[in-house]
């Protein structure tokens, strides 16, 4: 998303993307996209922003919006395993950051006047830190060193889905039921 494209991205899944530079799945530069109900899992950036790289070096006026998005198991070699913000302050609402990693800012790294507003977002298992740099706590955020497991997450993927149901069906009427 470049130069004021301001895309609307809804109900998308970005999985196992790998780039040698910035923004493993999405790169936003001088644009104001809205992402709703998107999932970022297992994406990797060779530099910054394992899942998402946000930048607006010329004005800091574009504000990307992330609502009900999940960032799980993303990795950046340098900064911002889940998200990297450079001169931009996104709005992050009802998202989750789980088990992301980077050299700095496992969940989110913000710098050069970035100050994301974060509301009702749980952070767990991000290494080395959940958030590195400035940010505004809009309330309802939670921070845990380790991510708890859900009893219905039988395959240990951090998501409850079809694979978990298949495990239950396979065990039906067996000694494991």
């Amino acid at each position: 998303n470049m130069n004021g494209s301001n895309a609307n991205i809804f109900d998308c899944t970005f999985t196992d993307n790998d780039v040698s530079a910035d923004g493993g799945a999405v790169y936003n530069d001088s644009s104001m996209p809205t992402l709703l109900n998107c999932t970022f899992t297992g994406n990797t950036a060779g530099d910054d922003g394992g899942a998402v790289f946000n930048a607006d070096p010329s004005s800091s006026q574009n504000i990307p919006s992330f609502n009900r998005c999940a960032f799980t198991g993303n990795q950046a070699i340098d900064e911002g395993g889940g998200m990297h913000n450079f001169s931009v302050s996104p709005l992050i609402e009802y998202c989750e950051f789980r088990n992301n990693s980077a050299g700095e800012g496992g969940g989110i790294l913000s710098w050069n006047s970035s100050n994301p507003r974060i509301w009702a977002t749980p952070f767990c298992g991000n290494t080395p830190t959940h958030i590195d740099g400035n940010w505004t706590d809009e309330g309802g955020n939670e921070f845990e060193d380790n991510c708890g497991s859900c009893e219905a997450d039988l395959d240990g993927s951090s998501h409850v889905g079809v694979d978990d149901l298949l495990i239950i069906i396979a065990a039906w009427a067996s000694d494991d039921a």
Side-chain angles (χ1 to χ4, degrees), residues 67-140:
N67 192 308
R68 301 186 193 290
C69 294
F71 297 81
T72 305
N74 300 289
Q75 180 182 8
I77 301 304
D78 292 328
E79 301 171 333
M83 181 183 292
H84 183 277
N85 301 309
F86 172 70
S87 298
V88 67
S89 301
L91 176 60
I92 301 167
E93 301 176 284
Y94 298 105
C95 291
E96 64 179 43
F97 287 80
R98 301 170 53 91
N99 297 319
N100 300 289
S101 63
E104 295 180 57
I108 298 173
L109 183 124
S110 298
W111 69 288
N112 199 36
S113 74
S114 294
N115 190 22
R117 295 177 20 230
I118 305 173
W119 182 31
T121 296
F123 292 81
C124 68
N126 299 295
T127 56
T129 57
H130 295 299
I131 302 174
D132 196 348
N134 292 330
W135 66 287
T136 298
D137 185 350
E138 297 289 347

Side-chain angles (χ1 to χ4, degrees), residues 4-110:
S5 63
N6 303 341
N8 291 313
I9 304 170
F10 302 146
D11 301 317
C12 289
T13 300
F14 300 90
T15 304
D16 296 330
N17 295 288
D18 190 354
V19 300
S20 60
D22 299 326
V26 174
Y27 188 104
N28 300 311
D29 187 359
S30 301
S31 62
M32 198 162 55
T34 298
L35 289 91
L36 174 66
N37 293 326
C38 292
T39 302
F40 298 87
T41 306
N43 300 290
T44 303
D47 290 329
D48 303 323
V52 175
F53 185 93
N54 297 309
D56 192 5
S58 62
S59 72
S60 300
Q61 294 179 10
N62 292 302
I63 301 172
S65 175
F66 298 85
N67 192 308
R68 301 186 193 290
C69 294
F71 297 81
T72 305
N74 300 289
Q75 180 182 8
I77 301 304
D78 292 328
E79 301 171 333
M83 181 183 292
H84 183 277
N85 301 309
F86 172 70
S87 298
V88 67
S89 301
L91 176 60
I92 301 167
E93 301 176 284
Y94 298 105
C95 291
E96 64 179 43
F97 287 80
R98 301 170 53 91
N99 297 319
N100 300 289
S101 63
E104 295 180 57
I108 298 173
L109 183 124
S110 298

